[in-house]
Amino acid sequence: MNTSYRIPGMVVRDHTFALPLDYANPKQTVSVYAREAVAPGKEDADLPYLVYFQGGPGSGSPRPTLDSGWIMRALQDYRVLLLDQRGTGRSTPITAQTLAGFSGPQAQADYLMHFRADNIVRDAEAIRQQLIGAKPWSILGQSYGGFCAMRYLSASPEGLKEVMITGGIPSLMRPTDDVYRATYRRVVDKNRLYYQRYPDDAALVRNIVDHLRTHAVLLPGGGDLTVQRFLQLGLQFGMSGGFEAVHYLLEEAFVAGADGKQVLNWNFLFHLEQMQNFDTNPIYALLHEACYTQGAASNWSAQRLLAEFPEFAWDGAGPVLFTGEMVYPWMLDAYMQLRPLKEAANILAATAAWPRLYDVDRLKHNTVPVAAAVYYDDMYVHREFSEETAAVVPNMKLWVTNEYEHNGLRAGGDVVLGRLLSMLRGAI
């Protein structure tokens, strides 16, 4: 245990753990950081732990503030452990800088294969044993964190007292292509809803696309703003307020240049770049498709399947459609911090050596109580696949709702977490 400090509403402590990179060959270690939060006056109380698994992959855990939403609700009952999953935040980070010292792309790829949910869960189990020994704890997984929770249930259920999941029940068996076909269909629907709300944006988006097709545009951070990269703004469509975030950005897209002709506004380019965090969170691009792969190669699934959806063509008569939560090989050229990792990313996409993530037979005999929020209109995690998994795993209660989008835990965290706790305790 390291430093301890106070902010209004909580006392925070830092933990850092040296854990094996490869649990089958534990010579090399990585550092894994976790931030513990407890309500003031309860620092020495015998409270149960609630461990939070962040979405992503590739994002650090939330940094608690004065208004920490679900965390404040959790602190009524728990000691909260905010885990920076390996490769993120204050844990040994994965960036172009940290990978530059490897001997080559193959060595980088071999290293990166240790940063999926299977090893994230092994880390959590090692931390549990260090902090509380044999006693089980509770976990909360948001989005990709829910994938980690399902892996935990599959691999080490003895470490779990109860599980809560928000927007993150994965398919247990379906191939990667099934996931991305379903994702494309949902993104088409979100585009339709966006243009229904903001019909005038159809012409504006078309103008931006036409401009980018005929002009080389460099972003403030040095990356290239291609048509494909611009259309990745659709990633916002799965969040509450995402339509507005894109619409208000587009409002300021063009200004008059020195010669009086329209140019893309520097402010627009700056704010667009801030909405795309692939440079700062490279794990997302490098391992996103690997979240689903089990004993097979993804072979850039989203790129291959795009041809099956002509709605995304730029030359159609209708509005140009944004893409969503997909990664593509062209990103390795357009994003500055992904360029040095291009060859490693291609190796990862081509490998079939990914271990299975879920033991379905074991999950069929689950005894750990699970409560999960499934968002009816979720753009990122297919509702039908979540329900398919829940039908296989006993002792799992679902709350299926269209009151929230994928970021329901952030948008209404006290309500969402309170509902899941009531489900676990039999009040609902």
Side-chain angles (χ1 to χ4, degrees):
M1 187 173 296
N2 299 317
T3 59
S4 175
Y5 52 92
R6 291 174 177 267
I7 60 176
M10 69 186 74
V11 179
V12 181
R13 295 171 180 166
D14 295 331
H15 297 269
T16 303
F17 306 88
L19 301 174
L21 170 70
D22 180 356
Y23 280 81
N25 183 22
K27 294 180 180 179
Q28 184 178 354
T29 63
V30 292
S31 176
V32 176
Y33 169 81
R35 193 185 314 264
E36 179 184 323
V38 65
K42 296 183 178 181
E43 296 93 323
D44 299 319
D46 185 20
L47 293 170
Y49 273 96
L50 176 66
V51 185
Y52 181 68
F53 290 85
Q54 167 70 2
S59 300
S61 210
R63 275 41 185 163
T65 63
L66 304 186
D67 180 15
S68 291
W70 69 264
I71 298 178
M72 299 305 292
R73 172 63 187 87
L75 291 179
Q76 296 176 26
D77 303 282
Y78 297 97
R79 191 179 295 275
V80 176
L81 197 68
L82 300 167
L83 178 67
D84 276 359
Q85 298 161 13
R86 55 168 55 198
T88 75
R90 288 179 59 180
S91 298
T92 299
I94 294 294
T95 68
Q97 290 173 302
T98 63
L99 293 174
F102 284 76
S103 59
Q106 186 63 59
Q108 292 173 335
D110 292 343
Y111 181 73
L112 287 161
M113 288 189 72
H114 297 292
F115 287 79
R116 287 201 314 167
D118 40 12
N119 282 309
I120 292 169
V121 168
R122 291 185 180 104
D123 290 343
E125 265 297 272
I127 291 169
R128 180 183 69 85
Q129 291 165 18
Q130 290 189 39
L131 288 180
I132 57 175
K135 190 175 181 180
W137 57 14
S138 305
I139 64 172
L140 169 62
Q142 156 65 16
S143 188
Y144 175 67
F147 292 27
C148 295
M150 291 302 298
R151 166 67 188 188
Y152 213 144
L153 282 168
S154 176
S156 302
E158 68 279 359
L160 298 175
K161 177 184 177 183
E162 58 193 359
V163 173
M164 290 171 280
I165 297 173
T166 56
I169 301 178
S171 171
L172 301 177
M173 297 290 290
R174 285 182 177 271
T176 308
D177 284 8
D178 281 9
V179 173
Y180 284 100
R181 282 194 181 94
T183 302
Y184 272 120
R185 295 185 189 107
R186 295 197 306 277
V187 174
V188 170
D189 290 340
K190 291 291 187 180
N191 274 274
R192 175 179 52 81
L193 293 171
Y194 176 78
Y195 285 120
Q196 283 179 359
R197 184 174 298 182
Y198 298 113
D200 292 344
D201 283 4
L204 179 54
V205 170
R206 175 72 67 181
N207 287 342
I208 295 171
V209 167
D210 289 345
H211 182 87
L212 292 173
R213 294 177 75 175
T214 56
H215 297 78
V217 176
L218 200 64
L219 288 161
D224 297 320
L225 183 57
T226 62
V227 174
Q228 295 101 317
R229 180 166 178 174
F230 165 66
L231 294 176
Q232 281 191 304
L233 287 172
L235 182 62
Q236 303 291 325
F237 287 176
M239 304 289 186
S240 57
F243 287 175
E244 284 60 52
V246 173
H247 171 69
Y248 295 137
L249 176 70
L250 298 183
E251 283 184 331
E252 301 181 13
F254 287 107
V255 293
D259 58 2
K261 295 181 179 179
Q262 278 195 330
V263 296
L264 287 173
N265 185 353
W266 188 93
N267 291 352
F268 164 78
L269 298 177
F270 175 84
H271 290 299
L272 181 150
E273 195 170 41
Q274 300 306 303
M275 292 170 69
Q276 298 180 328
N277 60 3
F278 301 107
D279 280 316
T280 55
N281 298 8
I283 285 178
Y284 188 98
L286 297 169
L287 295 178
H288 192 272
E289 292 195 350
C291 293
Y292 307 102
T293 50
Q294 303 184 79
S298 73
N299 289 319
W300 293 113
S301 176
Q303 180 65 42
R304 288 187 290 101
L305 295 180
L306 183 58
E308 297 182 13
F309 296 89
E311 301 97 318
F312 289 91
W314 307 337
D315 298 322
V320 179
L321 299 193
F322 293 89
T323 55
E325 194 185 39
M326 302 90 165
V327 294
Y328 301 98
W330 57 258
M331 295 169 61
L332 305 167
D333 295 310
Y335 289 86
M336 285 287 289
Q337 295 301 310
L338 296 182
R339 290 174 186 172
L341 307 176
K342 180 176 182 176
E343 293 181 63
N346 284 323
I347 292 171
L348 291 168
T351 186
W354 299 104
R356 294 211 66 80
L357 288 166
Y358 311 111
D359 183 336
V360 178
D361 289 336
R362 193 172 195 181
L363 287 170
K364 287 180 178 178
H365 298 90
N366 174 60
T367 60
V368 179
V370 182
V374 176
Y375 303 122
Y376 188 86
D377 300 311
D378 200 322
M379 190 178 82
Y380 310 110
V381 179
H382 197 46
R383 171 178 52 84
E384 286 87 343
F385 292 173
S386 296
E387 293 172 333
E388 186 178 88
T389 294
V392 172
V393 182
N395 220 24
M396 178 181 287
K397 295 181 179 180
L398 297 188
W399 170 37
V400 182
T401 177
N402 64 358
E403 185 177 356
Y404 298 98
E405 290 285 352
H406 185 75
N407 62 333
L409 190 64
R410 191 188 319 154
D414 54 340
V415 175
V416 172
L417 182 59
R419 172 87 181 207
L420 296 182
L421 288 170
S422 294
M423 291 165 65
L424 287 173
R425 294 167 183 174
I428 296 178

